Structure formats: structure tokens, C-alpha cells
Amino acid sequence: MAVLRSIERRIEAIFEGAFGRAFRAHVQPVELARKLAKEMDEHRTASVTRVYVPNEYTVYLSPQDRDQFSSYEEALCNELQEYLGEHAQRERYALPSAPLVRIETDDDLEIGVFGIAAKMARTSQSVPIQQPLPQPAAPAPQPPAYEAQAYTPPGIPLETAVATYALLYDGRRCPLRDATIVIGRSRECDVHVADPNVSRRHAEVRPDGAGAYTLIDLGSTNGTELNGKRVSHVRLSEGDAIAIGQIELTFVRE
């Protein structure tokens, strides 16, 4: 496999080198997207149950190539980050945090030539890689690792509503009543989690009668864990810890 990869890279070098010098043009965004996805694939690391890939990428461009993106560089980086997140979702990769793409200038590069550096970085907003998620007894308010929205039933003010149980996550509180709560990456979900490891409709907490609630995995890509074990359909008990992607929710009595 290593020999084949070496031959492939030599062929790429011939075509991108000799022919590139003859017909050199500015770097195009689609080239960057394709090469970033390839860097992600080539730097994957297999763990016990997941395949991790880098979450930070730095693109080095010549001064002339970077100038052409000056008017929309931030938007381009956001688009490339979204592309990488979708690529990771398709390939079922796991990331320590949402992908981050930066663009830097390298004066030694010529027009049409660019480089990419990829690394797997831990940030203050990511959990330790391949270590169990913590189970705090009383979560304290802190900056959320990912954007999430607390659910409030229509017409019932949060401060006056009375609920038997609730979900606590990232210092927030989602009361549970007689409605099904959907958790996922889609902004239409009751609990929105902006994490590429989370499916659009990942899991739900459904009332099960007599004040009980059931956790149901909705066929997600990376699965749902309860107290460290993967589950598909299970009744919740007070103090249960639900792990979905990089976020943890605690089922508590109000």
C-alpha cells in the first residue's frame, strides 16, 4: 500500500509539476477543497471504536494567490470548514472539535502552488481525545463547546414552567414535559448541537407515560451512549449521562 501511494504521488508530481509550470494559473477554491479532503483522509487515525482525523488545517498560498481571495477570504474559510465537516460526516470520521481552516502567505511559493498543514489539536472547547467523557455531579455554567439551544414549550415562560425532569448540558437546562425532544445537528431540532460527529436528527427523548422518559437513537452515524454504553432504545433513570458526539446531557429530576 505504501509503494502504491508513493507511485501515485510521483505521478501527481509529474502532472502537477511539469504540466503545471507550463499552464500555471491561480489557485481555485475547488482545488483547495479537494486537497483538504485528501489531507483529512491521509491523516486518519484508527482508535478502538472510531477513526479520528485532524481538526485544524493551514493553507499556504503565494502572495498573488492570496490577494485574489482578499475580498472573501473569511467566507471561503467558512465554506471550506463546512465542506470538511460534511466530508467527515460522509466518511464517518470523528473530530476532537469542528474543523478549522486558516489561510497564510508563503513568499517562497509561486502562483498556482500551495501547501497544506494538518494537525489534530485539542482546544479549550474540545474534550480529550479517546478519553471517557466526564460525568459532573453539578455542571457549572461555562462557554459551550458547540452552539446549542434550550427548548421551551410554546406559550410557557421558562421561569414559571414546572417540569418533573430536565436535560442539563453545557450549563443549560431543557425542561421535559409531554412532548418529544429531538437532539441533533439540524437547526430544526429542539436541542441543536453544531458538531460534525452528530447526525442531523441524532436521538430523541420521548415521554413514556407515568412520568417516565425513553432515550431513542434515530439511526445516527456515530451512535448514542448512555453511561458509557452504546444504546438504541432505553428508559432513562435520574442521573443518567447521555453522550452524543462531543456533548454530554444529564437526565435530572427538577
Side-chain angles (χ1 to χ4, degrees):
M1 183 62 70
V3 175
L4 292 177
R5 182 174 296 175
S6 176
I7 294 174
E8 177 185 336
R9 287 177 176 172
R10 290 181 182 179
I11 293 175
E12 287 182 353
I14 293 174
F15 280 87
E16 295 180 0
F19 289 94
R21 286 191 293 271
F23 304 99
R24 180 157 295 157
H26 284 289
V27 174
Q28 298 300 316
V30 66
E31 295 180 84
L32 298 178
R34 185 177 67 250
K35 290 293 186 180
L36 283 167
K38 187 174 181 180
E39 285 292 320
M40 176 178 282
D41 294 336
E42 292 184 351
H43 289 82
R44 58 184 182 269
T45 301
S47 181
V48 179
T49 59
R50 295 181 178 180
V51 177
Y52 288 96
V53 291
N55 57 323
E56 290 192 7
Y57 299 80
T58 303
V59 179
Y60 295 94
L61 300 174
S62 67
Q64 298 90 337
D65 279 322
R66 189 174 185 185
D67 284 344
Q68 69 170 331
F69 301 134
S70 60
S71 61
Y72 63 100
E73 182 176 303
E74 183 177 354
L76 174 61
C77 288
N78 290 335
E79 185 177 2
L80 293 174
Q81 290 168 177
E82 183 177 352
Y83 176 81
L84 284 177
E86 293 175 352
H87 180 70
Q89 182 74 17
R90 286 193 301 270
E91 300 297 327
R92 299 188 177 183
Y93 293 151
L95 300 97
S97 67
L100 175 64
V101 177
R102 301 186 183 93
I103 295 179
E104 301 288 347
T105 301
D106 189 333
D107 295 329
D108 294 332
L109 294 177
E110 300 178 4
I111 295 177
V113 180
F114 62 92
I116 296 176
K119 68 176 181 179
M120 192 176 297
R122 300 181 185 180
T123 68
S124 59
Q125 296 183 341
S126 62
V127 298
I129 300 173
Q130 299 186 27
Q131 293 183 13
L133 290 171
Q135 185 174 347
Q142 57 185 356
Y146 301 99
E147 178 186 355
Q149 298 174 350
Y151 172 78
T152 305
I156 304 179
L158 184 61
E159 62 275 8
T160 60
V162 177
T164 305
Y165 291 94
L167 294 175
L168 297 182
Y169 59 99
D170 289 334
R172 304 190 182 196
R173 165 178 161 270
C174 176
L176 300 177
R177 296 182 179 81
D178 294 329
T180 298
I181 303 299
V182 181
I183 308 167
R185 187 162 48 87
S186 171
R187 292 187 177 276
E188 297 178 359
C189 292
D190 303 300
V191 176
H192 169 232
V193 183
D195 181 349
N197 297 317
V198 175
S199 300
R200 293 183 60 81
R201 290 174 59 85
H202 195 104
E204 67 181 21
V205 176
R206 179 183 301 173
D208 199 16
Y213 292 87
T214 300
L215 173 66
I216 302 173
D217 183 86
L218 300 177
S220 64
T221 300
N222 291 318
T224 301
E225 294 183 359
L226 181 70
N227 301 326
K229 296 182 179 180
R230 181 167 290 195
V231 296
S232 59
H233 188 287
V234 62
R235 177 170 286 190
L236 293 171
S237 299
E238 183 179 358
D240 280 346
I242 305 168
I244 295 178
Q246 302 284 349
I247 192 171
E248 181 175 290
L249 307 93
T250 305
F251 181 72
V252 299
R253 184 186 296 271
E254 289 269 278

